[in-house]
Amino acid sequence: MPGNDVRFITAANIHHPVRTSRGTIAWWILLGLFVGLFGIVYVHTVGVGYAIVEHINGTYDFVIIGGGTAGSVLANRLSEDPGIKVLVLEAGGEEDRIPNVDIPLLSSFLRYKEFDWNYFTEPQSKSFLGFKDKKCHLHQGRVIGGSSTLNRMLYLRGSPAVYNDWAENGGFGWSYKDVIPYFLKSEDLQIDDLKLSAYHSTGGPLTVTDGSHPQLTSIMQTGAAQLGYKYTDCNGKDPVGFCKNHVTINRGERLHTAAAYIRPSMKRKNLHIALYSHVIKILISNGKAVGVEYLRNGRKATVGATREVILSAGPISSPQILIMSGIGPEKQLLDLKIPPKAILPVGEKLQDQIIFPLTFHMNETYTITPARSTSIINRLKYKLTAKGMLASNGGILGHLLLDTTNSSSANKQADIMIIMAAILSQHWESSETTERMMQNGQGNGKVTEGFTLYIQLLSPASRGNMSITSTNPFDQPIIDPQYLTEEQDIKAIIYGIRTGIKLTKTKAFKKIIPRFPPYLYKKCSGHKPNSDAYFECVIRYTAIPASNIVGTNKMGGNNDNTSVVDHQLRVKGIDKLRVVDSSVMPSHVSGDQYAPIVMMAEKASDIIKSTFRKTYKKNRLR
């Protein structure tokens, strides 16, 4: 039968002349020498070189707090000038110590506490009602490469209208036309049918490839078209519609910023990286950032910064460090007896996206399961071709981006994303959705074939906050996202659910015979099944956070009292201090966070270089 005649290559299948024992020994010796030589060359080429250091100098030109997604980009770009000395203080260790970090499928589900900050939310009143203590884990990477070692590898820039809105509200220089050059600078597109697009480029550090599923992507695309949604480039001019799965995977491996930016710059003598260095506070003198106090190897130490301190510790740690440094809300600083340096609304505009998973059973054997993905055939395929199930970013195969407000074409932006994945979460024990879906009756462990539609709220109206209650830098901050406190967020998710169900009922999906599980979530049994009230109840009990946090150090104009940094990401009222990470984003970009954070760090690097080129010229003229 065609397709079933699978033969394995064994020693018995290979015919060769009989070798003498002496010849065999010589052959093995040559092989051993080759392997040894390759190992030496590999270590010499890829090894840590000069950058990762034990001894830290007294001063540097720039001190970057955090070697995560943004910090890795900044470290690379600022150290391009050999005359500039750069120090990165990273609280975690090296990313290559994370088991299976480079294998996209496995690293999509595996979570290791030692590489995560292990933050938890405060008990939520309108969400997580089915979770223990109504709390949920927020993933934030604590390692070189940061959350880019943990994320879903999605390359989604967001909606042009969002960037234009930033620019119109005090973020001068952050309109879509202003940021596009930095998306292009960072990108190395490897998708043939988009290479001629003006919205894409090649040659950048961040490789972008097509992560489509061989069977299900075309079914989703056709089904979306049958519902009236056009095929589009989600990273182009109009992101609303169906788009394929653009991923940051290079030759079958996850491409985090550690690999894309930090590793290639490791041999520069002017770049130092200090691992396991936990920052306590930024040192501020006469309204100017002059250095950083940190803990390393159990000892407290300080390091000076002659040009700038750049805070890139992430949307939770960055505001925590600012408050510890005396920059934050007045009452909080007074309560903690921290001498105030600048009164700013640090931590007060926290926003996060939220995800609701819908599972469907199907008749075709397209599901990615642990047993299938790690079979001998699939492992061999991955080793030889860097393709197959193990090269998939969590089984994701395509996206349908929706504008539930039906806004005009000039202001069109996606507020809901339907992500289709060829997995059932109950097959992956480490998946955080498994327990929730089992409770929801969707996770029937006996069912092997199926797929999941993740309904992701992209532009939440709900706003939360974070604060600290202790001056101990190791105490977890108080994180209260206040998910789903705005009714429009619930309405948008329900719109996404109903669109997802309609999608599975199109003619295109008939081939796989999708079936929505008939089980009811017990806590919501008082509502009519599949009614808006029922879905609202299930969402509030089982939806999970996306951990795409923004807004805790919001960017804004000089007259914006809700902002912490200006359009050049400088902390207001403090000289020589910037924040460069997702915390400065005034709102979500209606996509994923990875590509926008890289873009932001690329643009910030140019802003910083330009600032000091101007200073140098002024000094020469004096």
Side-chain angles (χ1 to χ4, degrees):
M1 186 175 178
N4 290 336
D5 186 18
V6 180
R7 297 182 181 180
F8 294 94
I9 298 174
T10 66
N13 302 131
I14 304 172
H15 300 282
H16 51 73
V18 177
R19 300 185 179 91
T20 63
S21 60
R22 183 177 297 174
T24 302
I25 293 170
W27 186 83
W28 278 109
I29 290 173
L30 284 171
L31 179 63
L33 288 171
F34 174 79
V35 171
L37 181 62
F38 176 80
I40 292 170
V41 171
Y42 180 82
V43 170
H44 179 72
T45 306
V46 187
V48 296
Y50 300 100
I52 296 178
V53 297
E54 284 299 320
H55 172 73
I56 298 176
N57 297 338
T59 60
Y60 292 82
D61 293 304
F62 294 99
V63 176
I64 302 170
I65 301 173
T69 305
S72 294
V73 178
L74 291 163
N76 179 302
R77 295 307 189 190
L78 294 179
S79 65
E80 286 175 334
D81 183 343
I84 293 176
K85 294 179 180 179
V86 178
L87 171 67
V88 178
L89 293 171
E90 168 55 44
E94 292 183 76
E95 85 294 341
D96 57 8
R97 296 175 184 269
I98 305 176
N100 298 312
V101 66
D102 293 327
I103 302 176
L105 181 66
L106 301 184
S107 64
S108 297
F109 298 108
L110 302 176
R111 294 287 181 263
Y112 299 93
K113 289 184 177 181
E114 60 267 40
F115 304 106
D116 194 316
W117 282 97
N118 297 303
Y119 293 129
F120 278 85
T121 68
E122 288 296 288
Q124 298 295 287
S125 61
K126 301 290 186 179
S127 60
F128 307 159
L129 303 184
F131 288 65
K132 183 180 179 181
D133 298 327
K134 300 179 183 178
K135 297 181 179 182
C136 201
H137 187 190
L138 297 173
H139 291 294
Q140 295 290 309
R142 185 181 184 179
V143 66
I144 291 290
S147 295
S148 69
T149 66
L150 306 174
N151 66 17
R152 297 174 295 179
M153 294 155 275
L154 299 180
Y155 186 83
L156 289 169
R157 297 173 180 173
S159 298
V162 175
Y163 296 103
N164 293 335
D165 185 63
W166 289 3
E168 290 170 8
N169 289 279
F172 177 76
W174 292 93
S175 70
Y176 191 59
K177 70 176 183 179
D178 294 317
V179 302
I180 268 291
Y182 294 98
F183 281 120
L184 299 180
K185 181 180 181 179
S186 63
E187 185 183 35
D188 182 26
L189 184 80
Q190 298 299 318
I191 302 173
D192 289 339
D193 61 352
L194 291 176
K195 281 190 175 180
L196 296 179
S197 169
Y199 293 92
H200 293 282
S201 66
T202 58
L206 204 60
T207 302
V208 179
T209 53
D210 184 359
S212 297
H213 187 281
Q215 295 89 16
L216 293 178
T217 298
S218 61
I219 291 174
M220 185 184 187
Q221 180 178 346
T222 305
Q226 290 169 352
L227 287 181
Y229 294 100
K230 67 179 185 296
Y231 171 61
T232 189
D233 172 13
C234 285
N235 294 303
K237 184 179 180 180
D238 182 5
V240 175
F242 169 83
C243 63
K244 291 184 179 179
N245 184 31
H246 296 180
V247 295
T248 51
I249 295 175
N250 184 27
R251 297 176 183 174
E253 294 187 349
R254 171 192 285 271
L255 191 59
H256 37 63
T257 55
Y261 284 91
I262 278 274
R263 291 289 170 188
S265 59
M266 281 286 194
K267 288 198 168 186
R268 296 174 186 166
K269 294 183 180 181
N270 60 319
L271 173 63
H272 285 179
I273 302 169
L275 302 176
Y276 305 108
S277 302
H278 193 111
V279 169
I280 301 171
K281 63 181 178 180
I282 298 159
L283 302 175
I284 298 168
S285 177
N286 298 321
K288 182 189 300 182
V290 296
V292 176
E293 184 179 285
Y294 63 95
L295 280 167
R296 193 176 188 221
N297 299 324
R299 295 180 179 178
K300 189 181 290 188
T302 61
V303 62
T306 58
R307 294 193 178 187
E308 281 192 3
V309 174
I310 305 170
L311 183 54
S312 298
I316 300 300
S317 292
S318 283
Q320 181 179 20
I321 291 168
L322 284 181
I323 296 169
M324 292 282 289
S325 308
I327 302 168
E330 184 174 19
K331 185 179 186 304
Q332 202 171 150
L333 296 175
L334 292 174
D335 289 346
L336 294 168
K337 295 183 170 69
I338 298 174
K341 305 294 183 180
I343 304 303
L344 293 169
V346 173
E348 291 187 3
K349 296 295 177 182
L350 187 153
Q351 307 157 50
D352 190 16
Q353 299 168 336
I354 199 161
I355 301 170
F356 179 73
L358 276 175
T359 60
F360 295 82
H361 304 156
M362 66 179 174
N363 280 18
E364 296 293 332
T365 57
Y366 299 152
T367 309
I368 297 176
T369 67
R372 282 179 186 152
S373 61
T374 58
S375 68
I376 293 174
I377 293 175
N378 269 305
R379 280 185 286 171
L380 188 62
K381 181 178 182 180
Y382 181 70
K383 287 283 185 184
L384 295 177
T385 69
K387 295 179 180 178
M389 292 184 180
L390 289 171
S392 166
N393 61 321
I396 295 172
L397 55 95
H399 320 284
L400 180 57
L401 278 81
L402 312 175
D403 177 8
T404 66
T405 64
N406 297 312
S407 55
S408 66
S409 57
N411 298 311
K412 190 176 286 293
Q413 65 182 65
D415 54 355
I416 285 289
M417 177 164 61
I418 300 175
I419 302 173
M420 185 172 176
I423 65 161
L424 292 174
S425 291
Q426 66 260 25
H427 294 153
W428 301 88
E429 291 183 6
S430 57
S431 172
E432 288 190 59
T433 61
T434 300
E435 184 181 352
R436 305 279 75 76
M437 294 172 75
M438 292 294 286
Q439 290 180 2
N440 193 15
Q442 299 183 51
N444 187 339
K446 296 179 182 180
V447 176
T448 303
E449 306 304 333
F451 60 89
T452 302
L453 297 182
Y454 295 102
I455 314 299
Q456 183 166 337
L457 178 67
L458 297 180
S459 304
S462 302
R463 299 288 186 268
N465 57 75
M466 63 81 57
S467 59
I468 65 174
T469 57
S470 165
T471 54
N472 184 338
F474 295 99
D475 285 350
Q476 173 168 308
I478 305 301
I479 307 167
D480 184 11
Q482 298 181 30
Y483 295 106
L484 304 178
T485 50
E486 294 293 332
E487 193 64 28
Q488 68 188 76
D489 290 347
I490 285 288
K491 290 179 179 179
I493 296 172
I494 292 173
Y495 184 100
I497 291 171
R498 298 213 175 278
T499 304
I501 293 172
K502 287 178 185 176
L503 180 68
T504 65
K505 292 181 178 180
T506 58
K507 185 177 179 180
F509 273 77
K510 284 185 178 180
K511 178 184 176 182
I512 59 176
I513 314 178
R515 300 177 306 285
F516 190 54
Y519 313 109
L520 291 177
Y521 187 55
K522 292 179 181 178
K523 295 287 186 180
C524 303
S525 58
H527 301 286
K528 182 181 177 181
N530 299 338
S531 65
D532 284 2
Y534 173 78
F535 280 129
E536 177 177 350
C537 179
V538 178
I539 291 165
R540 294 195 186 279
Y541 269 89
T542 67
I544 57 175
S547 294
N548 285 337
I549 299 169
V550 304
T552 47
N553 290 314
K554 180 190 166 190
M555 172 176 63
N558 292 333
N559 297 322
D560 183 357
N561 294 328
T562 68
S563 62
V564 176
V565 302
D566 67 9
H567 67 283
Q568 291 197 324
L569 310 185
R570 298 171 297 197
V571 174
K572 293 182 174 182
I574 303 293
D575 194 19
K576 296 189 176 182
L577 175 60
R578 293 183 209 253
V579 182
V580 184
D581 55 33
S582 69
S583 70
V584 305
M585 294 181 177
S587 61
H588 281 99
V589 297
S590 297
D592 204 64
Q593 295 299 97
Y594 189 18
I597 292 171
V598 171
M599 172 278 293
M600 179 169 277
E602 288 275 19
K603 182 172 170 61
S605 298
D606 272 5
I607 291 172
I608 294 165
K609 288 178 179 180
S610 176
T611 299
F612 286 95
R613 275 196 295 268
K614 290 176 183 176
T615 303
Y616 177 72
K617 287 180 180 178
K618 284 181 181 179
N619 291 338
R620 285 190 64 187
L621 292 172
R622 288 175 182 173

